Amino acid sequence: QVQLAESGGGLVQAGGSLRLSCVASGYISSRYCMGWFRQSPGKERERVAAIYSSSVDNADGRTYYGDFAKGRFTISMDKAKNIVYLQMNSLNSEDTGMYYCAAAADPRVPCLASEFARWGQGTQVTVSS
């Protein structure tokens, strides 16, 4: 089964940027989603962004974003290296939290949060105001 390892978290000042990376080890599927989620103390986990990969349909590369991420965050994937990135710009204190990489194989509906079954250990992002 696929294993996921995140990196790139840290402490950044408000207005700054971070780029998170997630290395996926192992085969996932001919159709799959890779996503970034986050969770802050006292809050539910929420999907930040996701990207769909497919070798069997024409939706390959489609991306999905939470409303709070649109215009500030960008998800991308290097398929050759099996790495998913999350570029985060214009960070604010509300973005503080643990960020998790996740994978969803053969999603019925790409890329709903409920489809994600494999998770990394997470990387902490702290934004100071």
Side-chain angles (χ1 to χ4, degrees):
Q1 288 187 341
V2 64
Q3 294 190 343
L4 307 172
E6 306 95 332
S7 62
L11 175 64
V12 63
Q13 288 188 335
S17 299
L18 280 176
R19 188 178 79 159
L20 306 183
S21 300
C22 172
V23 178
S25 301
Y27 177 75
I28 304 177
S29 176
S30 59
R31 295 175 58 249
Y32 62 94
C33 291
M34 295 296 297
W36 287 96
F37 291 74
R38 71 183 187 186
Q39 188 165 22
S40 304
K43 295 184 179 180
E44 293 187 356
R45 186 173 61 194
E46 59 185 348
R47 191 188 71 177
V48 178
I51 186 167
Y52 177 60
S53 176
S54 174
S55 60
V56 298
D57 62 48
N58 60 7
D60 181 55
R62 187 168 294 175
T63 56
Y64 308 81
Y65 293 94
D67 288 342
F68 61 86
K70 293 177 181 177
R72 299 190 301 133
F73 297 180
T74 303
I75 189 170
S76 60
M77 185 185 322
D78 184 333
K79 291 186 179 183
K81 297 181 179 178
N82 284 344
I83 301 177
V84 179
Y85 300 101
L86 183 68
Q87 178 67 44
M88 304 187 294
N89 299 327
S90 301
L91 288 162
N92 57 60
S93 59
E94 295 292 310
D95 297 315
T96 293
M98 186 68 78
Y99 282 68
Y100 298 92
C101 178
D106 297 311
R108 289 171 296 174
V109 181
C111 297
L112 294 180
S114 58
E115 297 280 2
F116 289 85
R118 301 295 298 176
W119 297 86
Q121 295 298 310
T123 185
Q124 177 68 36
V125 172
T126 303
V127 183
S128 63
S129 56

